[in-house]
Amino acid sequence: MCGNEALAEAAIIAGCDAYFGYPITPQNEVPAYMARRMPQEGRVFVQSESELAAISMVFGASATGKRAMTSSSSPGISLMQEGISYLAGAELPAVVVNVMRGGPGLGNIAPSQADYFQATRGGGHGDYRTIVFGPSSVQELVDCMILAFDLADQYLMPVMVLADGILGQMMEPVVLEKKTSRELPAKDWALTGAKDRDQNIVRSLWLKEGALEAHNNKLQARYEQIQRDEVLCEQYEVDDAEIVVVAYGIAARIVRGAVTRARAEGIKVGWIRPITLWPFPTEEINKAADEFRIFLNVEMSSGQMVEDVKLAVAGKTPVAFHGRPGGGVPTVDEILDKIRQLTLRAKIPV
Amino acid sequence: MKTVFKRTPTLKDCVTHYCPGCGHGIAHRLVAEVIDELGIHDRTIGIAPVGCAVLAYDYLDVDMVEVAHGRPPAVATGMKRTNPDKIIFSYQGDGDLASIGAAEILHAGHRGEQITVIFINNAVYGMTGGQMAPTTMIDQVTATTPRGRVGAEQGYPLQVSELLATLPGTIYIERCSVHDPAHIRKSKKALRHAFELQVDGAQGMSLVEMLSPCPVYWRMPPAKAMEWIENEMTKVFPLGRLKG
Ligand SMILES: Cc1ncc(C[n+]2csc(CCOP(=O)(O)OP(=O)(O)O)c2C)c(N)n1
Ligand code: SF4
Ligand SMILES: [Mg+2]
C-alpha cells in the first residue's frame, strides 16, 4: 500500500465520516481511494470545486459533530488557510493532510518540506495553532492519522499531518489498526437541531468588548496544555553524541542512513526526530544542548524548522544547517560529508 | 379579544441591530414562521453569512453557524451530506452569494445539493458601508461608484438567480420582494415551498431571492426605498418563478 492510500484507510479506521477534497499532485491517490472506499462504508465522499470549498465542507460536517477530513498539497493548502483559521476560531475538530511539494507558487511536484512555517505558525490569520505531525514512515503516517482524529476531538481544533511526495508514493508494509483510543469529551456543542435543548451556535465572531480577547486566552491555555502533554519525538544515541542531527519526515529517514554510516566510521553522532512539529520537542532538544554538542538541522527547505531548533537550543551550543529547497532531496553522502566536517569543529569547543 | 398577529416561537423576542426600514428583519420573520409552520424547528440548521445578517443566530432560535464570507453553500454541503435527515438552509446577501461566493453557490447548485438558500438582494454591501455589489443597479451611487455604476466599467447587475436556474441541479428558484404586504405574503409562500421541497427529500437545491431595502446605503427614507424596489429594481430583477 502506498502512503497516500494508507493514510486514507487509516482515516476510515479512525472513524472519519466524510472526506472532501480537490485533486492535486502528489496526493491524488487519496481522493481516488476515498471515492471508492467511503461509499462502501456508507460514508461521505465529495469532490469539491476548490480547496476553499473543500475546507468549508469539512467545517460544515464538523460543526454537526461528524469526523471530517481533507487532503491536498501545498498550493491547495494555501487556499485552505481561510477555513483552517475559521475552524480554529470556532473550535471545530478537523484533520488536514498536506502532502507537500516544492514551492513557492506552482513550484513543482517534487517532495518538499517547505510548508513547515505555514503549518506550525497557524498559517491563516489570527492567533492560533494547529497540532502538526511530521511522520517519517508509512506506518507512522497511519498511526499519526488515527491519533490526529482523536486529538482534534479532544482539543477541538484542526490537526495537520505533513507528508511529502516520497512518503505519499512509498510502498511499505503497514499494520492498519487503532491501537489506542482516548476518552473524548461529548460533542454537546454540535449542531444537530435544537431538540429538547437550547439553540447551539457555532461561531468565530466575538464582538462584545473583551470577548475575543477572552476567547483567545482560552485557546492559548489549551495550546499550553498541548505543549505540555502531546509532544512526540524520537532520540537515537544522543547520550554520547558530539553531533546531534535534527530532522523530521522523509529527511529523517535519510539522516538515519547517514548517522549509521558515520557511527561505523567512529563518529559520535546521534539524532533527534520530532514527530510532532507543533508542539515542538523544545525541552528535549534544550536538554540535549546542556552538553556541548553541535546540532545539525537537515531539512528539505531553505531552513524553517532550524529556527525552532535554535530557539530550543537557546544559544547554548552551535546549530548548523543543511537544506535542499525547491524539491531537492539531500543524499546520505551529502549529510555524511556535513557530519564529517562538523566533527572537526566538535573536537574544539569554542 | 382575539390575537391576530403574534411573534412566532422561532423568532427570538429581542431588538435587532438592523437599521430602520431594513429588509433583513422581515426576511428573518418569514423564515421563522415557515420553520414553525412546517414543524421542523428541532431538525433545522441555519447558516448565517458574513454581511449585515451575520448575527442572524441572535434572532433565529434554531441551531446555527456563522461561516466565512461566501462559503455558506459549501458549509451546507458538508452538513447535508453527513446529515441527510436535517433541514439545512443558508441565508446570504448579494455580496456573499453573487460575488465572493459565486463559485460555491454555482457548484452547490450544480451538484444539486438538497439545501434551501435564502438570497437577500439589496443591491449593495450593507455591512461594509454601502459599496457596489454585483447586483448594484446601473447609475446607482454607492461608496465605490461615486458617479453611479457604469456598465461598461463595472459590469451590469448580475442576475444570479437566472443563471442558477439553468443548472439541472436546481429544482426551484423564485424571485420575490419584501416591499409591501402583498409581496411579503408571496415571499412567504415561496419560502415555504422551498423548505417543503427539502422536507420532502426532493433532489436538488431550492432558492428564494428576495429584493430587500437598504435605505441607509440607498440614501433614501424607508418608504422611498420600498417604492424604488417596485419602480426600479423589479425592472432589472423581474419577480416570479424562474424554475420549478
Ligand atoms: C474574506 C472577506 N472579505 C471581505 C470581508 C468584508 N465584508 C464583510 S460583509 C461584506 C459584504 C456583505 O455584503 P452582502 O453579502 O451583500 O450583505 P449585506 O450586508 O448587504 O446584507 C464584506 C465585503 C470579509 N468579512 N471577509
Ligand atoms: S446597512 Fe442596509 S442591509 Fe445593513 S442593516 Fe442597515 S439597512 Fe439593513
Ligand atoms: Mg447586500
Side-chain angles (χ1 to χ4, degrees):
Chain A
M1 217 175 207
C2 75
N4 283 336
E5 290 180 340
L7 80 85
E9 187 60 34
I12 291 171
I13 290 166
C16 176
D17 296 298
Y19 172 94
F20 306 98
Y22 185 84
I24 185 168
T25 310
Q27 61 82 58
N28 289 320
E29 292 81 7
V30 184
Y33 190 87
M34 288 307 216
R36 185 163 53 81
R37 285 283 287 124
M38 291 298 265
Q40 282 173 0
E41 298 286 326
R43 306 188 203 174
V44 172
F45 168 88
V46 178
Q47 177 172 330
S48 63
E49 64 271 31
S50 71
E51 289 85 353
L52 275 171
I55 196 74
S56 300
M57 291 175 188
V58 167
F59 185 101
S62 176
T64 68
K66 306 288 182 184
R67 284 192 158 181
M69 74 167 289
T70 182
S71 64
S72 186
S73 180
S74 313
I77 298 291
S78 291
L79 274 182
M80 288 186 189
Q81 294 306 328
E82 174 188 81
I84 295 173
S85 170
Y86 273 77
L87 285 160
E91 299 176 79
L92 290 178
V95 174
V96 178
V97 178
N98 181 0
V99 184
M100 293 181 283
R101 57 188 255 180
L106 199 50
N108 60 21
I109 57 167
S112 166
Q113 297 185 324
D115 300 345
Y116 179 92
F117 280 154
Q118 187 196 50
T120 59
R121 267 60 181 167
H125 60 284
D127 261 338
Y128 74 94
R129 295 284 185 169
T130 56
I131 295 173
V132 185
F133 288 102
S136 79
S137 68
V138 178
Q139 182 66 56
E140 198 170 64
L141 180 58
V142 164
D143 297 341
C144 287
M145 280 301 294
I146 294 171
L147 181 56
F149 279 95
D150 275 0
L151 291 184
D153 278 356
Q154 180 173 346
Y155 294 108
L156 302 177
M157 62 192 280
V159 177
M160 294 197 76
V161 177
L162 292 195
D164 61 64
I166 301 179
L167 200 54
Q169 302 300 326
M170 202 157 75
M171 299 275 212
E172 281 186 325
V174 280
V175 181
L176 284 158
E177 63 176 3
K178 193 166 191 252
K179 291 170 193 149
T180 54
S181 69
R182 296 187 175 215
E183 189 122 350
L184 297 171
K187 294 186 173 180
D188 51 7
W189 45 265
L191 308 181
T192 55
K195 187 170 164 40
D196 305 325
R197 60 158 169 79
D198 285 343
Q199 164 198 43
N200 275 347
I201 298 170
V202 171
R203 74 173 97 181
S204 63
L205 179 73
W206 300 92
L207 288 176
K208 282 208 191 77
E209 196 180 328
L212 185 57
E213 186 169 1
H215 178 63
N216 268 272
N217 287 335
K218 176 177 148 191
L219 296 182
Q220 292 302 323
R222 194 175 289 160
Y223 299 155
E224 274 166 31
Q225 188 194 339
I226 293 168
Q227 275 171 306
R228 266 195 318 274
D229 297 346
E230 305 295 350
V231 171
L232 289 176
C233 82
E234 194 181 40
Q235 307 199 24
Y236 176 78
E237 298 198 339
V238 171
D239 282 350
D240 72 333
E242 290 165 353
I243 298 168
V244 175
V245 190
V246 185
Y248 75 96
I250 225 56
R253 293 277 285 252
I254 305 163
V255 161
R256 205 175 303 178
V259 165
T260 310
R261 276 176 56 191
R263 277 273 167 186
E265 289 178 16
I267 301 172
K268 290 187 171 161
V269 54
W271 44 259
I272 296 180
R273 181 174 73 84
I275 300 171
T276 50
L277 306 179
W278 195 90
F280 192 72
T282 305
E283 261 178 48
E284 288 76 0
I285 290 175
N286 185 274
K287 218 168 128 239
D290 279 341
E291 308 262 325
F292 180 84
R293 333 184 129 107
I294 291 180
F295 280 74
L296 169 62
N297 184 258
V298 177
E299 277 179 85
M300 283 144 61
S301 78
S302 307
Q304 300 194 8
M305 185 172 77
V306 67
E307 294 193 1
D308 284 337
V309 174
K310 283 181 179 166
L311 279 172
V313 164
K316 289 197 268 190
T317 66
V319 177
F321 173 73
H322 181 71
R324 293 284 304 274
V329 180
T331 63
V332 169
D333 284 335
E334 243 171 77
I335 299 168
L336 186 60
D337 268 355
K338 193 83 191 180
I339 292 171
R340 285 190 192 120
Q341 286 165 26
L342 292 174
T343 335
L344 301 173
R345 277 175 60 197
K347 298 280 182 243
I348 338 154
V350 276
Chain B
M1 206 165 64
K2 204 174 129 221
T3 306
V4 289
F5 187 79
K6 63 175 175 39
R7 190 178 54 80
T8 190
T10 290
L11 193 68
K12 293 190 199 177
D13 191 5
C14 63
V15 177
T16 74
H17 71 284
Y18 298 118
C19 310
C22 176
H24 277 302
I26 304 171
H28 283 12
R29 182 182 169 96
L30 298 182
V31 172
E33 282 180 358
V34 166
I35 289 171
D36 288 330
E37 285 172 18
L38 295 178
I40 52 173
H41 168 273
D42 289 359
R43 59 184 179 115
T44 295
I45 305 171
I47 301 172
V50 171
C52 278
V54 66
L55 297 174
Y57 48 74
D58 281 345
Y59 312 132
L60 295 173
D61 195 12
V62 286
D63 274 9
M64 285 198 80
V65 63
E66 151 255 297
V67 310
H69 196 17
R71 316 294 169 233
V75 172
T77 300
M79 289 181 159
K80 187 69 180 184
R81 293 289 185 118
T82 50
N83 299 274
D85 55 323
K86 299 288 186 302
I87 304 302
I88 313 288
F89 75 88
S90 76
Y91 184 104
Q92 304 179 250
D94 40 16
D96 197 72
L97 182 140
S99 189
I100 195 167
E104 283 75 15
I105 191 67
L106 186 81
H107 284 276
H110 176 57
R111 286 189 302 269
E113 298 298 340
Q114 292 178 42
I115 58 170
T116 301
V117 179
I118 297 142
F119 169 31
I120 305 297
N121 178 358
N122 59 9
V124 282
Y125 286 6
M127 191 189 214
T128 38
Q131 296 86 352
M132 178 185 70
T135 46
T136 292
M137 306 267 286
I138 293 299
D139 294 332
Q140 187 182 335
V141 173
T142 70
T144 49
T145 51
R147 289 173 302 279
R149 185 179 195 168
V150 178
E153 278 176 29
Q154 292 113 8
Y156 293 84
L158 189 62
Q159 295 167 312
V160 212
S161 292
E162 278 81 349
L163 211 111
L164 293 171
T166 64
L167 304 174
T170 57
I171 47 174
Y172 170 61
I173 297 184
E174 179 153 356
R175 184 180 289 119
C176 306
S177 170
V178 297
H179 71 273
D180 64 25
H183 286 94
I184 292 172
R185 272 196 299 277
K186 270 198 185 157
S187 297
K188 180 165 165 196
K189 256 181 83 183
L191 275 175
R192 192 182 159 111
H193 183 56
F195 273 96
E196 271 169 351
L197 284 167
Q198 192 181 163
V199 171
D200 294 344
Q203 299 287 315
M205 188 172 91
S206 53
L207 180 145
V208 178
E209 172 175 347
M210 281 187 252
L211 305 185
S212 172
C214 174
V216 175
Y217 293 115
W218 291 359
R219 299 144 199 259
M220 37 180 109
K224 262 255 158 349
M226 298 305 194
E227 282 169 28
W228 194 69
I229 292 181
E230 168 90 38
N231 301 331
E232 303 299 329
M233 264 188 106
T234 53
K235 282 189 212 151
V236 179
F237 300 107
L239 303 182
R241 229 177 237 226
L242 293 157
K243 182 153 188 191

